């Protein structure tokens, strides 16, 4: 099927999102379907057999356009359509523009489990020592920190709950196919911005954090350069010098936190004062 109706972004792969994506795709529109969770279906994925026909609720999500043709897309086994691109564990960060010319910025969380290597043997879950309430079963049961988001979905690779995982490595050792990579993934996915007008400080921190620590490190020699990088790239941490020519660190902190409210910032200075420390902490510095 050729795309002839532009592109569309559908936010949320639940009941409405899947139906909207399929309807748009069947008219020839290219669709990017994003979902913040690690699996599609939303609440509907919990409903296997429905009254009165005892049929799968997912089948009711098929588009009204050419139903006989599109019935090949079993939503329970996985949504496959040549006009649909699916991005799981992905959130919409910002949306700019106007109808017909939108620009969206997305943020994705990388799963430490390689879905191409995962065979669903469950040995990783058996080795995991962490138990948390299972949201799929409304918290009435527990699951491991590494788990199947939807037990009956296909394909269905295991994912890691990064909020619950202690990174002990038990699952990595138990995996027979080498699908789990914890250490390298955690560090490489953690992006740090070092902002200092002294080159020796920037270079030293980059060597320690990137070459020895394995983190992804960017550097900026001024406040303006740092703000430009923050506008283009997601960072988890910023190491920020307080005293810099032009724009000082406190001003960079204020503007940076407005752009990236979740950004963690650590202030660095050889000219510390109580007033500067209080001002920086009020602006969100650590």
């Amino acid at each position: 099927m050729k795309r002839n109706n532009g592109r569309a972004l559908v936010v949320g792969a639940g009941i409405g999102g899947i139906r909207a994506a399929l309807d748009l795709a069947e008219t020839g529109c290219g669709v990017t379907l994003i979902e913040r969770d690690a699996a599609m279906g939303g609440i509907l994925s919990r409903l296997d057999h429905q009254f009165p026909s005892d049929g799968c609720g997912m089948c009711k999500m098929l588009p009204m356009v050419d139903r006989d043709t599109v019935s090949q897309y079993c939503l329970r086994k996985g949504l496959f359509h040549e006009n649909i691109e699916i991005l799981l564990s992905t959130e919409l960060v910002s949306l700019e523009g106007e109808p017909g010319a939108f620009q969206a910025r997305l943020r994705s969380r990388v799963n430490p489990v390689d879905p191409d290597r995962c065979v669903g043997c469950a040995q990783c879950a058996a080795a995991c020592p962490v138990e948390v309430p299972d949201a799929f079963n409304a918290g009435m049961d527990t699951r491991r920190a590494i788990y199947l988001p939807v037990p009956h979905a296909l394909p269905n690779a295991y994912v890691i709950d990064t909020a619950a995982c202690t990174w002990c490595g038990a699952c990595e050792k138990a995996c027979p196919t080498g699908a789990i990579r914890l250490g390298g993934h955690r560090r490489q996915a953690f992006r740090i911005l070092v902002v200092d007008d002294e080159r020796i400080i920037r270079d030293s921190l980059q060597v320690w954090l990137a070459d020895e620590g394995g983190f992804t490190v960017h550097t900026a020699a001024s406040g303006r350069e740092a703000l430009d990088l923050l506008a283009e790239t997601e960072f988890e941490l910023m190491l920020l010098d307080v005293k810099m020519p032009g724009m000082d660190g406190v001003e960079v902190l204020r503007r940076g936190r407005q752009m990236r409210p979740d950004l963690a910032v650590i202030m660095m200075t050889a000219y510390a004062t109580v007033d500067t420390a209080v001002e920086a902490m009020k602006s969100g510095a650590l």
Side-chain angles (χ1 to χ4, degrees):
M1 179 184 297
K2 294 183 179 179
R3 297 175 179 171
N4 52 20
N5 290 332
R7 288 200 61 85
L9 174 67
V10 177
V11 181
I15 298 174
I18 293 175
R19 179 58 181 269
L22 278 169
D23 284 340
L24 288 167
E26 281 301 304
T27 63
C29 182
V31 180
T32 299
L33 176 61
I34 67 172
E35 169 59 48
R36 65 181 179 182
D37 293 331
M40 299 188 305
I43 296 176
L44 191 64
S45 63
R46 304 178 191 175
L47 305 178
D48 191 10
H49 299 284
Q50 296 185 12
F51 179 85
S53 63
D54 202 33
C56 174
M58 301 296 274
C59 293
K60 299 177 182 178
M61 295 301 301
L62 294 174
M64 298 303 297
V65 181
D66 296 330
R67 286 185 68 90
D68 292 338
T69 303
V70 301
S71 62
Q72 60 185 298
Y73 304 115
C74 176
L75 304 186
R76 177 176 173 179
K77 293 182 178 179
L79 177 60
F80 302 99
H81 195 292
E82 60 182 342
N83 283 353
I84 298 179
E85 176 189 19
I86 302 171
L87 301 178
L88 300 177
S89 301
T90 301
E91 295 181 281
L92 177 65
V93 177
S94 65
L95 187 66
E96 300 176 350
E98 55 188 22
F102 284 115
Q103 286 190 341
R105 188 158 56 90
L106 309 177
R107 176 170 55 197
S108 297
R109 300 185 305 277
V110 181
N111 180 15
V113 182
D114 185 348
D116 295 328
R117 289 190 176 188
C118 179
V119 295
C121 65
Q123 293 188 36
C124 55
C128 178
V130 180
E131 288 191 16
V132 295
D134 186 3
F136 184 82
N137 290 318
M140 294 185 292
D141 195 4
T142 59
R143 61 163 172 80
R144 304 293 179 171
I146 185 167
Y147 66 106
L148 290 174
V150 179
H152 52 264
L154 292 173
N156 201 15
Y158 277 75
V159 298
I160 292 180
D161 182 351
T162 55
C165 181
T166 60
W167 308 103
C168 66
C171 60
E172 187 174 14
K173 296 176 183 177
C175 180
T177 62
I180 304 173
R181 292 288 184 269
L182 295 181
H185 164 266
R186 292 201 312 275
R187 291 178 177 269
Q188 290 177 11
F190 195 90
R191 293 173 296 273
I192 302 175
L193 176 59
V194 177
V195 186
D196 200 299
D197 60 314
E198 294 188 35
R199 182 173 180 178
I200 188 172
I201 299 296
R202 299 195 305 272
D203 291 348
S204 296
L205 285 173
Q206 188 168 36
V207 169
W208 296 334
L209 295 170
D211 295 348
E212 298 183 18
F215 299 100
T216 299
V217 180
H218 294 254
T219 62
S222 66
R224 174 50 55 192
E225 185 179 348
L227 293 177
D228 289 342
L229 284 171
L230 286 173
E232 299 173 356
T233 309
E234 291 279 349
F235 291 96
E236 281 68 41
L237 173 65
M238 178 166 63
L239 302 179
L240 177 60
D241 186 18
V242 172
K243 195 170 184 179
M244 295 186 295
M247 185 185 304
D248 65 15
V250 176
E251 182 63 23
V252 176
L253 169 65
R254 289 199 192 96
R255 297 190 185 184
R257 292 279 292 181
Q258 289 176 355
M259 298 167 60
R260 308 284 188 185
D262 297 332
L263 177 67
V265 183
I266 297 178
M267 307 299 289
M268 308 181 299
T269 183
Y271 306 94
T273 65
V274 173
D275 292 341
T276 302
V278 170
E279 187 178 8
M281 293 179 67
K282 284 183 177 179
S283 299
L286 301 177

